[in-house]
Amino acid sequence: MAVPFTPVEIDAIRANTPGCTDDLIHLNHAGSSLPDVSVLDAQIGHLRREAGIGGYEAAEETAEAEAAVYDSIAAMIGGRRHEVARMEHATAAWNAAFWAIPKRPWQRIITHDHDYGANWVAFLRAVEVHGVVIERIPSDAHGQIDLERLASALERPDDIALVSLAWIPTNGGLVNPAAGVGALTRAAGVPFLLDACQAVGQLDIDVESIGCDALSATGRKYLRGPRGSGFLFVHSRAVERFAPAHPDHHGAEWSAIDSYTFAPGATRYEYWEHNHAAWPGLGAAVDVALRLGVDRIQATIAQRAKELREQLVERGMSVHDAGVAKCGIVTMTHPTLDAGEVVSRLATRGVNASSTFLGSARADMEARGLPSLVRLSVHCTTTPAEIQRAATAIGEI
Ligand SMILES: Cc1ncc(COP(=O)(O)O)c(C=O)c1O
């Protein structure tokens, strides 16, 4: 079990994070976190080169650095570099995998109530396009995916297109038992698409022990990377089984006038054009996480979130985070004010928070009868003093 960072270590991390100042308490890391200065330097440095010598020429100069980003990501998640594809954000990554997975009419898409709004919209579109059906696995008594119900659903694997799971949902502190799901899908031979948008950078990840076939991630949240960056992991065993829906001539070679050949590995999911400043920025963010140790980041976040939950309850707030294991996303309702009002009043007190609304996670919000929620998300840069000040501000509004 990793130990949380000491106060001295947190001060050092904050000193390298320009957004960590005394007059702003950023509790919106699940929205977009605060990057390390090396992330800014990587991006701004590249933008200056593009402006100075031309975009293609600047890209040539940084080709090696761009290639190294795949190694960093692979090291962070326990995958291999050719299993990683560059993406603009998590939904782009998730969709690239989702639409690549073969689907036949009447096959089931198995998911959990906590799956993300964008993913649900894709399920509904797949119902129209492929004639598949959606099967919802309910939550167990702890509020996480019910593994027994999933095991029974997997008894007829031939009529399943895929299992989709949000590891950490957008609207709460739940950490779904992804490895439990992976063990069941591996045994059944069913594709497992894991939305790790809120998990990457926050949880110590090993894709082999999780058993997912594809995993989608974004840069700007717990990785503390640039906006408009992300990645997709596709396991080697799934590469030939799935087929990207919209390859370009980088994802596939136009090998003859009437044929194409997919690029090797996960490259087949990429487009040629991309943000050459954001990708090395993401690499810098991953390198920071690796240097700090994701296990220690995870331990620190868990400790801070626990402190926040306790202090909110002490001040009469209702905390709605489900699950056995909880993460850095803390959701609450105020006894009298709606979520939007709480968020704007906090903003005037120098506290950044956000709210989650029905469309982000409708199935879960409706099942639990929840209105919109205030979402307060901590990171390893958050100090106990900030928790205290933010909780006091919430108690006072
Ligand atoms: C669980 C989850 N999945 C996917 C997404 C979408 O990520 P992106 O906006 O990077 O596409 C979010 C965004 O909040 C999320 O919380």
Side-chain angles (χ1 to χ4, degrees):
M1 184 68 186
V3 285
F5 294 122
T6 63
V8 172
E9 288 172 316
I10 293 175
D11 283 348
I13 300 168
R14 288 174 64 86
N16 280 332
T17 308
C20 290
T21 59
D22 287 343
D23 46 10
L24 177 72
I25 302 176
H26 187 70
L27 297 183
N28 194 11
H29 297 278
S32 191
S33 190
L34 301 174
D36 185 272
V37 70
S38 61
V39 175
L40 294 189
D41 289 347
Q43 287 183 93
I44 295 170
H46 189 79
L47 290 176
R48 287 200 187 289
R49 287 306 283 163
E50 284 187 343
I53 65 164
Y56 287 24
E57 292 72 14
E60 247 176 61
E61 278 184 359
T62 49
E64 225 171 273
E66 284 210 42
V69 180
Y70 295 87
D71 294 309
S72 295
I73 292 172
M76 179 179 66
I77 63 173
R80 286 157 285 193
R81 74 188 317 271
H82 62 270
E83 296 174 322
V84 176
R86 163 179 39 75
M87 291 282 146
E88 301 83 30
H89 55 104
T91 305
W94 188 94
N95 267 313
F98 176 75
W99 292 104
I101 297 173
K103 301 171 193 71
R104 293 191 312 272
W106 301 111
Q107 272 193 317
R108 291 173 287 157
I109 291 175
I110 297 190
T111 187
H112 175 226
D113 279 355
H114 285 264
D115 216 331
Y116 187 60
N119 306 352
W120 270 88
V121 170
F123 301 150
L124 294 168
R125 185 79 190 116
V127 168
E128 291 172 354
V129 175
H130 293 292
V132 292
V133 290
I134 305 169
E135 180 171 339
R136 283 164 67 169
I137 303 295
S139 298
D140 66 12
H142 303 288
Q144 57 195 29
I145 186 167
D146 188 327
L147 292 177
E148 278 181 28
R149 295 284 290 271
L150 177 63
S152 348
L154 287 168
E155 276 166 13
R156 289 178 292 119
D158 286 348
D159 73 2
I160 299 172
L162 74 144
V163 171
S164 164
L165 183 79
W167 196 351
I168 293 178
T170 199
N171 65 329
L174 166 68
V175 181
N176 252 322
V181 172
L184 292 172
T185 53
R186 294 293 318 119
V190 167
F192 175 24
L193 171 53
L194 182 60
D195 176 343
C197 179
Q198 298 286 4
V200 169
Q202 161 159 218
L203 302 183
D204 199 11
I205 295 179
D206 175 32
V207 283
E208 285 304 332
S209 56
I210 294 161
C212 56
D213 296 286
L215 172 151
S216 54
T218 209
R220 73 184 183 281
K221 297 179 187 285
Y222 277 91
L223 269 178
R224 305 205 293 140
R227 293 203 70 171
S229 69
F231 69 87
L232 171 68
F233 159 83
V234 181
H235 198 283
S236 305
R237 70 172 164 261
V239 164
E240 296 302 332
R241 192 170 171 192
F242 305 164
H246 306 113
D248 74 353
H249 57 316
H250 164 83
E253 187 198 346
W254 190 13
S255 36
I257 195 66
D258 57 356
S259 66
Y260 65 87
T261 316
F262 280 130
T267 306
R268 63 188 57 191
Y269 291 93
E270 293 183 348
Y271 289 128
W272 182 81
E273 174 57 357
H274 64 279
N275 184 332
H276 287 263
W279 184 242
L282 178 63
V286 172
D287 290 341
V288 170
L290 287 171
R291 205 164 51 241
L292 294 175
V294 184
D295 55 345
R296 295 198 66 199
I297 294 174
Q298 178 175 348
T300 311
I301 291 173
Q303 188 183 57
R304 264 325 73 75
K306 184 168 177 288
E307 290 163 11
L308 180 57
R309 287 189 188 99
E310 286 166 1
Q311 295 196 30
L312 291 174
V313 170
E314 274 168 26
R315 287 167 176 82
M317 307 299 141
S318 305
V319 171
H320 297 281
D321 302 327
V324 176
K326 293 190 180 60
C327 67
I329 301 179
V330 177
T331 49
M332 55 150 266
T333 43
H334 188 275
T336 55
L337 300 174
D338 75 22
E341 186 59 28
V342 173
V343 171
S344 37
R345 291 198 194 186
L346 282 176
T348 64
R349 289 167 164 81
V351 180
N352 288 347
S354 67
S355 53
T356 42
F357 61 100
L358 207 55
S360 303
R362 179 179 284 276
D364 168 55
M365 303 282 268
E366 282 184 354
R368 289 198 283 161
L370 289 173
S372 59
L373 297 167
V374 180
R375 187 175 73 172
L376 305 156
S377 43
V378 303
H379 209 307
C380 67
T381 50
T382 313
T383 64
E386 285 185 321
I387 297 288
Q388 179 87 38
R389 276 167 54 208
T392 304
I394 291 165
E396 283 170 3
I397 58 176

